[in-house]
Amino acid sequence: MTLLSLPSRIDRDLYPALMSPELNAKYPTDHKAFVRIDVSLRIYWHTLFDICPELLELSGPDGMSIFRPFMAWAGEKKLAFDWSYYLWVYVWLRQSQFKDRLLADGKYLRSIMAASAARWAILDRGRSRGIVIGCADTTDLVIGWKCRSVRVGREIELIEPEEPLPAPSDIFGYFTLPAFELNVFPGWQGLAR
Amino acid sequence: MRRWPLPAAQATFGASKRKRKQMRLGFNFTLGDTYDMAQRLMAEGHIDYCEFLIDNFFCVDPDELAKAFDCPIGLHIMYSKFLEADRPTLVDFAARLKDYIDALNPIYVSDHILRFSHEGRAFFHLGEIDYSAEYEFVRDKVLEWQDIVGQRIHFENYPSIMDGGVEAPAFFERLMKDTGAGVLFDASNAVCSHRNCGTPFDAWRNVIAAAQHFHVAGYRQSLIEPFISLDTHAEQLAPDTLDFLANFRSVFDKPGATMTYERDDQIEFDAIVADLKLLRNLFGQPQEGRHDLAVSA
Ligand SMILES: [Fe+2]
Ligand SMILES: [Fe+2]
Protein backbone atom coordinates (compact mmCIF):
# COMPACT_ATOMS: atom_id res chain seq x y z
CA MET A 1 0.00 0.00 0.00
CA THR A 2 1.28 3.43 -0.94
CA LEU A 3 2.10 5.80 1.88
CA LEU A 4 -0.43 8.54 1.92
CA SER A 5 0.58 12.11 2.57
CA LEU A 6 -3.04 13.30 2.86
CA PRO A 7 -4.74 12.81 6.22
CA SER A 8 -7.03 9.78 6.11
CA ARG A 9 -7.34 8.41 9.63
CA ILE A 10 -10.98 9.25 10.01
CA ASP A 11 -13.93 9.65 7.69
CA ARG A 12 -13.97 13.38 8.39
CA ASP A 13 -10.55 13.74 6.74
CA LEU A 14 -12.24 12.66 3.51
CA TYR A 15 -15.46 14.70 3.64
CA PRO A 16 -14.52 17.20 0.91
CA ALA A 17 -13.38 14.38 -1.38
CA LEU A 18 -16.55 12.32 -0.96
CA MET A 19 -18.23 14.46 -3.64
CA SER A 20 -15.22 15.30 -5.77
CA PRO A 21 -13.75 13.07 -8.50
CA GLU A 22 -10.83 15.50 -8.73
CA LEU A 23 -9.94 15.13 -5.06
CA ASN A 24 -10.40 11.37 -5.26
CA ALA A 25 -7.70 11.27 -7.92
CA LYS A 26 -5.21 12.69 -5.41
CA TYR A 27 -5.41 9.49 -3.34
CA PRO A 28 -3.38 6.41 -4.34
CA THR A 29 -5.73 3.82 -5.79
CA ASP A 30 -4.41 1.05 -3.55
CA HIS A 31 -5.39 2.93 -0.40
CA LYS A 32 -8.59 2.36 1.57
CA ALA A 33 -9.28 6.10 1.44
CA PHE A 34 -9.49 5.93 -2.35
CA VAL A 35 -11.99 3.07 -2.18
CA ARG A 36 -14.09 4.82 0.47
CA ILE A 37 -14.29 7.96 -1.70
CA ASP A 38 -14.99 5.83 -4.77
CA VAL A 39 -17.93 4.19 -2.96
CA SER A 40 -19.34 7.62 -2.21
CA LEU A 41 -18.89 8.91 -5.75
CA ARG A 42 -20.54 5.80 -7.19
CA ILE A 43 -23.67 6.64 -5.25
CA TYR A 44 -23.85 10.10 -6.84
CA TRP A 45 -23.35 8.36 -10.20
CA HIS A 46 -26.04 5.74 -9.61
CA THR A 47 -28.44 8.28 -8.17
CA LEU A 48 -28.21 10.10 -11.49
CA PHE A 49 -28.00 7.37 -14.11
CA ASP A 50 -30.07 4.62 -12.49
CA ILE A 51 -32.97 7.04 -12.25
CA CYS A 52 -32.37 8.86 -15.55
CA PRO A 53 -30.79 6.18 -17.77
CA GLU A 54 -31.67 8.22 -20.91
CA LEU A 55 -28.78 10.49 -20.06
CA LEU A 56 -26.38 7.66 -20.91
CA GLU A 57 -27.52 8.04 -24.55
CA LEU A 58 -25.90 11.47 -24.47
CA SER A 59 -22.77 10.61 -22.54
CA GLY A 60 -21.96 7.05 -23.59
CA PRO A 61 -22.33 4.04 -21.32
CA ASP A 62 -19.94 5.05 -18.53
CA GLY A 63 -21.61 8.42 -18.07
CA MET A 64 -18.29 10.06 -17.32
CA SER A 65 -18.48 12.80 -19.94
CA ILE A 66 -21.44 14.13 -17.99
CA PHE A 67 -20.61 13.01 -14.46
CA ARG A 68 -17.05 14.33 -14.08
CA PRO A 69 -17.55 17.83 -15.47
CA PHE A 70 -20.91 18.16 -13.74
CA MET A 71 -19.46 17.24 -10.34
CA ALA A 72 -16.58 19.70 -10.85
CA TRP A 73 -19.03 22.46 -11.82
CA ALA A 74 -21.26 21.59 -8.86
CA GLY A 75 -18.20 21.84 -6.63
CA GLU A 76 -17.37 25.33 -7.90
CA LYS A 77 -20.96 26.41 -7.39
CA LYS A 78 -21.11 24.62 -4.01
CA LEU A 79 -24.43 23.01 -4.93
CA ALA A 80 -26.20 21.56 -1.90
CA PHE A 81 -27.06 18.27 -3.67
CA ASP A 82 -30.54 18.35 -2.18
CA TRP A 83 -33.65 17.16 -4.07
CA SER A 84 -32.77 19.57 -6.93
CA TYR A 85 -29.65 17.52 -7.83
CA TYR A 86 -31.15 16.41 -11.16
CA LEU A 87 -32.39 19.85 -12.09
CA TRP A 88 -28.85 21.20 -11.76
CA VAL A 89 -27.63 18.43 -14.04
CA TYR A 90 -30.09 19.76 -16.62
CA VAL A 91 -28.86 23.33 -16.04
CA TRP A 92 -25.31 22.11 -16.63
CA LEU A 93 -26.26 20.04 -19.71
CA ARG A 94 -27.99 23.06 -21.18
CA GLN A 95 -24.72 24.97 -21.36
CA SER A 96 -22.62 21.95 -22.38
CA GLN A 97 -21.70 20.23 -25.66
CA PHE A 98 -24.88 18.14 -25.14
CA LYS A 99 -27.24 21.11 -25.35
CA ASP A 100 -28.67 20.53 -28.85
CA ARG A 101 -29.37 16.83 -28.32
CA LEU A 102 -30.80 17.56 -24.89
CA LEU A 103 -33.29 20.12 -26.20
CA ALA A 104 -34.21 18.05 -29.28
CA ASP A 105 -36.08 15.43 -27.22
CA GLY A 106 -38.38 16.24 -24.31
CA LYS A 107 -37.80 12.86 -22.68
CA TYR A 108 -34.62 14.07 -20.96
CA LEU A 109 -36.34 16.98 -19.29
CA ARG A 110 -39.36 14.88 -18.26
CA SER A 111 -37.13 12.25 -16.73
CA ILE A 112 -35.08 14.87 -14.87
CA MET A 113 -38.10 16.72 -13.51
CA ALA A 114 -39.71 13.45 -12.37
CA ALA A 115 -36.47 12.36 -10.69
CA SER A 116 -36.19 15.56 -8.70
CA ALA A 117 -39.88 15.49 -7.75
CA ALA A 118 -39.44 11.91 -6.51
CA ARG A 119 -36.31 12.81 -4.58
CA TRP A 120 -38.15 15.65 -2.87
CA ALA A 121 -41.02 13.33 -2.01
CA ILE A 122 -38.62 10.80 -0.47
CA LEU A 123 -36.26 13.11 1.36
CA ASP A 124 -38.09 16.26 2.36
CA ARG A 125 -39.13 16.27 6.01
CA GLY A 126 -41.02 19.57 6.03
CA ARG A 127 -44.80 19.71 6.37
CA SER A 128 -45.59 20.18 2.67
CA ARG A 129 -47.37 17.26 0.99
CA GLY A 130 -46.34 17.82 -2.60
CA ILE A 131 -44.02 19.77 -4.85
CA VAL A 132 -44.73 21.22 -8.30
CA ILE A 133 -41.76 21.70 -10.59
CA GLY A 134 -41.93 23.91 -13.65
CA CYS A 135 -39.38 24.69 -16.35
CA ALA A 136 -38.93 27.49 -18.85
CA ASP A 137 -38.38 24.84 -21.57
CA THR A 138 -41.87 23.31 -21.23
CA THR A 139 -45.37 24.19 -20.11
CA ASP A 140 -45.71 20.71 -18.55
CA LEU A 141 -45.54 20.45 -14.79
CA VAL A 142 -44.29 17.57 -12.69
CA ILE A 143 -45.71 16.95 -9.22
CA GLY A 144 -44.19 14.79 -6.54
CA TRP A 145 -46.46 13.61 -3.70
CA LYS A 146 -45.15 12.22 -0.46
CA CYS A 147 -46.26 8.80 0.75
CA ARG A 148 -49.85 9.35 1.90
CA SER A 149 -50.91 5.90 3.00
CA VAL A 150 -49.25 2.81 4.41
CA ARG A 151 -49.65 0.84 1.22
CA VAL A 152 -48.85 3.48 -1.36
CA GLY A 153 -45.41 4.97 -1.83
CA ARG A 154 -44.65 8.41 -3.22
CA GLU A 155 -46.40 9.31 -6.47
CA ILE A 156 -45.21 11.36 -9.41
CA GLU A 157 -47.58 13.05 -11.85
CA LEU A 158 -47.01 14.75 -15.18
CA ILE A 159 -49.50 17.52 -15.85
CA GLU A 160 -50.13 19.18 -19.19
CA PRO A 161 -52.20 22.20 -18.14
CA GLU A 162 -54.81 23.61 -20.53
CA GLU A 163 -53.93 27.07 -19.35
CA PRO A 164 -50.19 27.07 -18.77
CA LEU A 165 -48.76 28.77 -15.69
CA PRO A 166 -46.44 31.72 -16.30
CA ALA A 167 -42.92 30.45 -16.93
CA PRO A 168 -40.47 30.58 -14.02
CA SER A 169 -37.94 33.38 -14.37
CA ASP A 170 -34.97 31.00 -14.15
CA ILE A 171 -34.75 27.70 -15.98
CA PHE A 172 -36.56 25.97 -13.12
CA GLY A 173 -39.07 27.03 -10.51
CA TYR A 174 -41.03 25.16 -7.90
CA PHE A 175 -43.67 25.55 -5.25
CA THR A 176 -44.87 23.23 -2.54
CA LEU A 177 -48.41 22.15 -1.65
CA PRO A 178 -49.71 22.19 1.92
CA ALA A 179 -52.33 19.50 1.17
CA PHE A 180 -52.72 16.57 -1.22
CA GLU A 181 -54.37 18.79 -3.83
CA LEU A 182 -53.11 21.06 -6.55
CA ASN A 183 -55.29 24.08 -5.88
CA VAL A 184 -52.86 26.94 -5.36
CA PHE A 185 -50.27 28.75 -7.38
CA PRO A 186 -48.32 30.86 -4.94
CA GLY A 187 -45.75 31.80 -7.62
CA TRP A 188 -42.44 30.17 -8.47
CA GLN A 189 -39.55 29.84 -6.08
CA GLY A 190 -36.10 29.69 -7.58
CA LEU A 191 -33.79 26.77 -6.82
CA ALA A 192 -31.57 27.26 -3.82
CA ARG A 193 -28.00 26.20 -4.40
CA MET B 1 -35.82 -46.31 36.42
CA ARG B 2 -32.30 -45.44 37.49
CA ARG B 3 -31.18 -41.85 37.58
CA TRP B 4 -27.58 -40.75 37.23
CA PRO B 5 -26.15 -37.60 38.70
CA LEU B 6 -25.05 -35.28 35.90
CA PRO B 7 -21.46 -34.09 35.70
CA ALA B 8 -21.21 -30.38 36.53
CA ALA B 9 -20.72 -29.17 32.93
CA GLN B 10 -23.81 -30.94 31.69
CA ALA B 11 -25.83 -29.72 34.64
CA THR B 12 -24.97 -26.13 33.73
CA PHE B 13 -25.86 -26.82 30.12
CA GLY B 14 -29.19 -28.21 31.23
CA ALA B 15 -29.86 -25.16 33.32
CA SER B 16 -28.95 -22.70 30.59
CA LYS B 17 -31.18 -24.55 28.15
CA ARG B 18 -34.06 -23.90 30.46
CA LYS B 19 -33.26 -20.20 30.60
CA ARG B 20 -35.98 -18.13 29.00
CA LYS B 21 -35.39 -17.21 25.40
CA GLN B 22 -36.17 -13.57 25.00
CA MET B 23 -34.89 -12.17 21.71
CA ARG B 24 -37.72 -10.94 19.49
CA LEU B 25 -37.13 -10.66 15.79
CA GLY B 26 -38.44 -7.85 13.62
CA PHE B 27 -38.37 -6.59 10.06
CA ASN B 28 -37.75 -3.04 8.87
CA PHE B 29 -40.73 -1.48 7.14
CA THR B 30 -39.50 1.47 5.11
CA LEU B 31 -41.97 1.86 2.25
CA GLY B 32 -45.46 0.71 1.36
CA ASP B 33 -44.43 -1.85 -1.24
CA THR B 34 -43.19 -4.31 1.40
CA TYR B 35 -46.43 -4.10 3.37
CA ASP B 36 -47.82 -7.46 2.24
CA MET B 37 -44.53 -9.19 2.82
CA ALA B 38 -44.13 -7.79 6.32
CA GLN B 39 -47.68 -8.92 7.08
CA ARG B 40 -46.90 -12.40 5.83
CA LEU B 41 -43.69 -12.60 7.88
CA MET B 42 -45.79 -11.73 10.90
CA ALA B 43 -48.64 -14.13 10.08
CA GLU B 44 -46.22 -17.03 9.58
CA GLY B 45 -44.45 -16.29 12.86
CA HIS B 46 -41.06 -15.39 11.41
CA ILE B 47 -41.09 -12.01 13.17
CA ASP B 48 -42.59 -10.66 16.37
CA TYR B 49 -42.61 -6.94 15.66
CA CYS B 50 -41.99 -4.35 12.92
CA GLU B 51 -39.60 -1.44 12.84
CA PHE B 52 -40.96 1.58 10.98
CA LEU B 53 -38.65 4.03 9.29
CA ILE B 54 -41.00 6.51 10.78
CA ASP B 55 -40.14 9.78 9.06
CA ASN B 56 -40.92 8.16 5.70
CA PHE B 57 -44.53 8.05 6.92
CA PHE B 58 -44.91 11.58 8.30
CA CYS B 59 -47.79 12.26 5.87
CA VAL B 60 -49.66 9.08 6.77
CA ASP B 61 -52.32 9.49 9.41
CA PRO B 62 -50.91 8.13 12.73
CA ASP B 63 -54.08 6.14 13.37
CA GLU B 64 -53.90 4.53 9.94
CA LEU B 65 -50.32 3.56 10.68
CA ALA B 66 -51.28 2.21 14.10
CA LYS B 67 -53.98 0.03 12.53
CA ALA B 68 -51.74 -1.21 9.73
CA PHE B 69 -49.89 -3.81 11.80
CA ASP B 70 -51.28 -5.84 14.65
CA CYS B 71 -47.93 -6.19 16.41
CA PRO B 72 -45.51 -4.17 18.53
CA ILE B 73 -43.67 -1.42 16.68
CA GLY B 74 -40.18 0.04 16.95
CA LEU B 75 -39.44 3.47 15.51
CA HIS B 76 -36.31 4.22 13.52
CA ILE B 77 -35.65 7.83 12.55
CA MET B 78 -33.64 8.41 9.38
CA TYR B 79 -33.59 12.12 8.65
CA SER B 80 -33.89 14.12 11.85
CA LYS B 81 -30.30 15.21 11.14
CA PHE B 82 -30.22 16.23 14.77
CA LEU B 83 -26.48 16.99 14.67
CA GLU B 84 -26.98 19.50 11.86
CA ALA B 85 -30.54 20.84 12.02
CA ASP B 86 -31.43 24.04 13.87
CA ARG B 87 -33.62 23.94 16.96
CA PRO B 88 -36.91 25.13 15.37
CA THR B 89 -36.58 22.43 12.70
CA LEU B 90 -35.96 19.79 15.37
CA VAL B 91 -38.86 21.03 17.49
CA ASP B 92 -41.19 20.73 14.50
CA PHE B 93 -39.82 17.30 13.59
CA ALA B 94 -40.32 16.13 17.18
CA ALA B 95 -43.87 17.50 17.27
CA ARG B 96 -44.79 15.30 14.32
CA LEU B 97 -42.84 12.35 15.71
CA LYS B 98 -44.79 12.60 18.97
CA ASP B 99 -48.09 12.06 17.14
CA TYR B 100 -46.73 8.68 16.03
CA ILE B 101 -45.27 7.88 19.44
CA ASP B 102 -48.70 8.56 20.96
CA ALA B 103 -50.55 6.48 18.36
CA LEU B 104 -48.12 3.56 18.17
CA ASN B 105 -46.76 3.33 21.72
CA PRO B 106 -43.46 2.05 20.30
CA ILE B 107 -41.08 -0.36 21.98
CA TYR B 108 -38.26 2.10 21.29
CA VAL B 109 -37.34 5.23 19.38
CA SER B 110 -34.00 5.17 17.58
CA ASP B 111 -31.90 7.55 15.50
CA HIS B 112 -28.47 7.81 13.88
CA ILE B 113 -25.24 9.53 14.81
CA LEU B 114 -24.15 10.52 11.34
CA ARG B 115 -23.09 13.37 9.12
CA PHE B 116 -25.57 14.13 6.36
CA SER B 117 -23.60 16.97 4.82
CA HIS B 118 -20.34 18.86 4.74
CA GLU B 119 -20.35 22.64 4.47
CA GLY B 120 -24.01 22.51 3.46
CA ARG B 121 -23.49 19.94 0.68
CA ALA B 122 -25.29 16.61 1.06
CA PHE B 123 -23.50 13.30 1.23
CA PHE B 124 -25.22 10.54 -0.71
CA HIS B 125 -23.14 8.04 1.25
CA LEU B 126 -23.45 9.30 4.79
CA GLY B 127 -20.39 10.31 6.78
CA GLU B 128 -19.00 8.99 10.05
CA ILE B 129 -18.28 11.48 12.82
CA ASP B 130 -14.93 12.07 14.50
CA TYR B 131 -15.46 10.21 17.78
CA SER B 132 -12.70 11.89 19.76
CA ALA B 133 -12.86 15.49 18.52
CA GLU B 134 -16.68 15.66 18.38
CA TYR B 135 -17.59 13.88 21.61
CA GLU B 136 -18.70 16.93 23.61
CA PHE B 137 -20.58 18.37 20.65
CA VAL B 138 -22.47 15.12 20.02
CA ARG B 139 -23.16 14.57 23.72
CA ASP B 140 -24.76 18.01 24.01
CA LYS B 141 -26.80 17.46 20.85
CA VAL B 142 -27.99 14.07 22.12
CA LEU B 143 -29.08 15.64 25.40
CA GLU B 144 -30.91 18.40 23.54
CA TRP B 145 -32.56 15.99 21.08
CA GLN B 146 -33.78 13.64 23.82
CA ASP B 147 -35.09 16.67 25.68
CA ILE B 148 -36.99 17.94 22.62
CA VAL B 149 -38.49 14.52 21.85
CA GLY B 150 -39.21 14.02 25.53
CA GLN B 151 -37.86 10.52 25.81
CA ARG B 152 -34.86 8.27 25.69
CA ILE B 153 -33.49 7.63 22.21
CA HIS B 154 -31.37 4.70 21.06
CA PHE B 155 -28.57 5.71 18.70
CA GLU B 156 -27.21 3.38 16.05
CA ASN B 157 -23.52 2.64 15.50
CA TYR B 158 -21.95 3.30 12.08
CA PRO B 159 -20.47 0.67 9.71
CA SER B 160 -17.00 2.19 9.98
CA ILE B 161 -14.60 2.18 7.09
CA MET B 162 -11.73 4.44 8.11
CA ASP B 163 -9.49 3.60 11.07
CA GLY B 164 -11.08 6.15 13.40
CA GLY B 165 -13.93 3.65 13.68
CA VAL B 166 -12.02 1.80 16.41
CA GLU B 167 -12.94 4.64 18.74
CA ALA B 168 -16.68 3.99 18.35
CA PRO B 169 -17.20 1.44 21.15
CA ALA B 170 -15.69 3.68 23.86
CA PHE B 171 -17.58 6.65 22.42
CA PHE B 172 -20.96 4.91 22.67
CA GLU B 173 -20.20 3.61 26.16
CA ARG B 174 -19.38 7.10 27.34
CA LEU B 175 -22.37 8.58 25.55
CA MET B 176 -24.78 6.17 27.27
CA LYS B 177 -23.29 7.01 30.65
CA ASP B 178 -23.33 10.78 30.16
CA THR B 179 -26.72 11.16 28.47
CA GLY B 180 -28.85 8.18 29.48
CA ALA B 181 -29.28 7.44 25.78
CA GLY B 182 -29.47 3.88 24.57
CA VAL B 183 -27.53 2.28 21.74
CA LEU B 184 -29.32 0.60 18.88
CA PHE B 185 -26.50 -1.81 18.25
CA ASP B 186 -26.24 -2.89 14.63
CA ALA B 187 -24.34 -6.17 14.74
CA SER B 188 -23.48 -6.25 11.04
CA ASN B 189 -22.27 -2.66 11.20
CA ALA B 190 -19.88 -3.84 13.91
CA VAL B 191 -18.82 -6.66 11.58
CA CYS B 192 -18.10 -4.13 8.82
CA SER B 193 -16.12 -2.06 11.31
CA HIS B 194 -14.20 -5.15 12.36
CA ARG B 195 -13.39 -6.05 8.76
CA ASN B 196 -12.55 -2.51 7.67
CA CYS B 197 -10.66 -1.09 10.60
CA GLY B 198 -10.10 -4.00 12.94
CA THR B 199 -12.46 -2.89 15.70
CA PRO B 200 -12.40 -5.93 18.03
CA PHE B 201 -15.80 -7.49 18.72
CA ASP B 202 -14.88 -7.65 22.36
CA ALA B 203 -14.55 -3.86 22.50
CA TRP B 204 -18.34 -3.74 22.06
CA ARG B 205 -19.09 -6.12 24.93
CA ASN B 206 -20.27 -3.44 27.40
CA VAL B 207 -22.29 -1.69 24.70
CA ILE B 208 -24.01 -4.92 23.68
CA ALA B 209 -24.64 -5.82 27.31
CA ALA B 210 -26.30 -2.45 27.93
CA ALA B 211 -28.25 -2.44 24.65
CA GLN B 212 -31.74 -3.88 24.29
CA HIS B 213 -32.32 -3.16 20.64
CA PHE B 214 -30.36 -4.56 17.74
CA HIS B 215 -30.09 -4.58 13.98
CA VAL B 216 -28.62 -7.15 11.68
CA ALA B 217 -28.32 -7.31 7.89
CA GLY B 218 -26.18 -8.44 5.01
CA TYR B 219 -23.20 -6.52 3.73
CA ARG B 220 -21.13 -6.69 0.57
CA GLN B 221 -17.63 -5.85 -0.55
CA SER B 222 -16.64 -2.79 -2.54
CA LEU B 223 -16.24 -3.31 -6.28
CA ILE B 224 -12.58 -2.32 -6.24
CA GLU B 225 -9.58 -3.29 -4.11
CA PRO B 226 -8.43 -2.97 -1.42
CA PHE B 227 -11.87 -4.34 -0.55
CA ILE B 228 -13.96 -2.70 2.10
CA SER B 229 -17.21 -4.05 3.49
CA LEU B 230 -20.33 -1.97 2.95
CA ASP B 231 -23.55 -2.05 4.93
CA THR B 232 -25.95 -2.62 2.04
CA HIS B 233 -29.02 -4.43 3.46
CA ALA B 234 -29.29 -6.39 0.21
CA GLU B 235 -27.58 -9.73 0.88
CA GLN B 236 -27.94 -12.77 3.09
CA LEU B 237 -26.39 -12.71 6.55
CA ALA B 238 -22.66 -13.40 6.31
CA PRO B 239 -20.99 -16.27 8.19
CA ASP B 240 -18.90 -13.89 10.31
CA THR B 241 -22.03 -11.98 11.33
CA LEU B 242 -23.68 -15.23 12.43
CA ASP B 243 -20.52 -16.27 14.29
CA PHE B 244 -20.43 -12.94 16.09
CA LEU B 245 -24.05 -13.33 17.17
CA ALA B 246 -23.43 -16.92 18.28
CA ASN B 247 -20.31 -16.02 20.27
CA PHE B 248 -22.06 -13.15 22.04
CA ARG B 249 -25.51 -14.73 22.16
CA SER B 250 -25.94 -14.46 25.90
CA VAL B 251 -24.74 -10.83 25.88
CA PHE B 252 -27.34 -9.93 23.24
CA ASP B 253 -30.25 -11.86 24.69
CA LYS B 254 -32.04 -10.25 27.64
CA PRO B 255 -35.54 -9.27 28.73
CA GLY B 256 -37.12 -6.96 26.17
CA ALA B 257 -34.38 -7.57 23.58
CA THR B 258 -35.28 -7.00 19.92
CA MET B 259 -33.36 -7.62 16.73
CA THR B 260 -34.52 -6.09 13.47
CA TYR B 261 -33.49 -7.84 10.27
CA GLU B 262 -32.91 -5.03 7.77
CA ARG B 263 -33.46 -5.59 4.08
CA ASP B 264 -33.85 -2.68 1.68
CA ASP B 265 -32.84 -4.24 -1.61
CA GLN B 266 -33.10 -7.69 -3.26
CA ILE B 267 -36.23 -8.16 -1.19
CA GLU B 268 -37.06 -11.85 -1.71
CA PHE B 269 -39.41 -13.51 0.72
CA ASP B 270 -37.76 -16.95 0.81
CA ALA B 271 -34.29 -15.52 1.26
CA ILE B 272 -35.45 -13.30 4.10
CA VAL B 273 -37.25 -16.19 5.77
CA ALA B 274 -34.10 -18.32 5.50
CA ASP B 275 -32.13 -15.66 7.39
CA LEU B 276 -34.86 -15.19 9.97
CA LYS B 277 -34.83 -18.93 10.58
CA LEU B 278 -31.09 -18.81 11.22
CA LEU B 279 -31.68 -16.07 13.76
CA ARG B 280 -34.53 -18.04 15.38
CA ASN B 281 -32.34 -21.11 15.63
CA LEU B 282 -29.62 -19.03 17.20
CA PHE B 283 -31.73 -17.21 19.75
CA GLY B 284 -34.64 -19.62 20.12
CA GLN B 285 -38.34 -18.91 19.96
CA PRO B 286 -39.09 -16.17 22.49
CA GLN B 287 -41.10 -17.60 25.33
CA GLU B 288 -43.16 -14.56 26.06
CA GLY B 289 -45.88 -13.52 23.66
CA ARG B 290 -46.08 -10.38 21.60
CA HIS B 291 -48.16 -8.91 24.33
CA ASP B 292 -45.26 -9.00 26.81
CA LEU B 293 -43.05 -7.11 24.40
CA ALA B 294 -45.48 -4.22 24.34
CA VAL B 295 -45.75 -4.33 28.12
CA SER B 296 -42.00 -4.45 28.67
CA ALA B 297 -41.69 -1.32 26.55
FE1 LIG C 1 -30.28 2.65 10.62
FE1 LIG D 1 -28.98 -0.67 10.94
Side-chain angles (χ1 to χ4, degrees), chain B residues 76 112 156 215 262:
Chain B
H76 199 43
H112 298 84
E156 183 172 0
H215 273 180
E262 295 187 283

Side-chain angles (χ1 to χ4, degrees), chain B residues 129-180:
Chain B
I129 64 157
D130 179 345
Y131 295 109
S132 43
E134 294 187 282
Y135 178 74
E136 280 81 12
F137 167 76
V138 175
R139 177 199 61 201
D140 293 349
K141 285 287 187 187
V142 162
L143 286 168
E144 184 189 10
W145 186 218
Q146 291 191 126
D147 185 54
I148 293 172
V149 176
Q151 74 168 74
R152 185 179 194 219
I153 300 175
H154 301 259
F155 293 93
E156 183 172 0
N157 54 308
Y158 185 90
S160 304
I161 298 170
M162 304 312 291
D163 293 347
V166 296
E167 294 163 4
F171 171 95
F172 278 99
E173 240 179 90
R174 194 174 164 202
L175 187 73
M176 283 193 286
K177 209 168 82 221
D178 290 352
T179 65

Side-chain angles (χ1 to χ4, degrees), chain A residues 9-23:
Chain A
R9 187 184 69 83
I10 51 175
D11 218 33
R12 188 158 81 152
D13 292 329
L14 311 179
Y15 285 173
L18 294 182
M19 46 188 91
S20 167
E22 290 147 302
L23 290 178

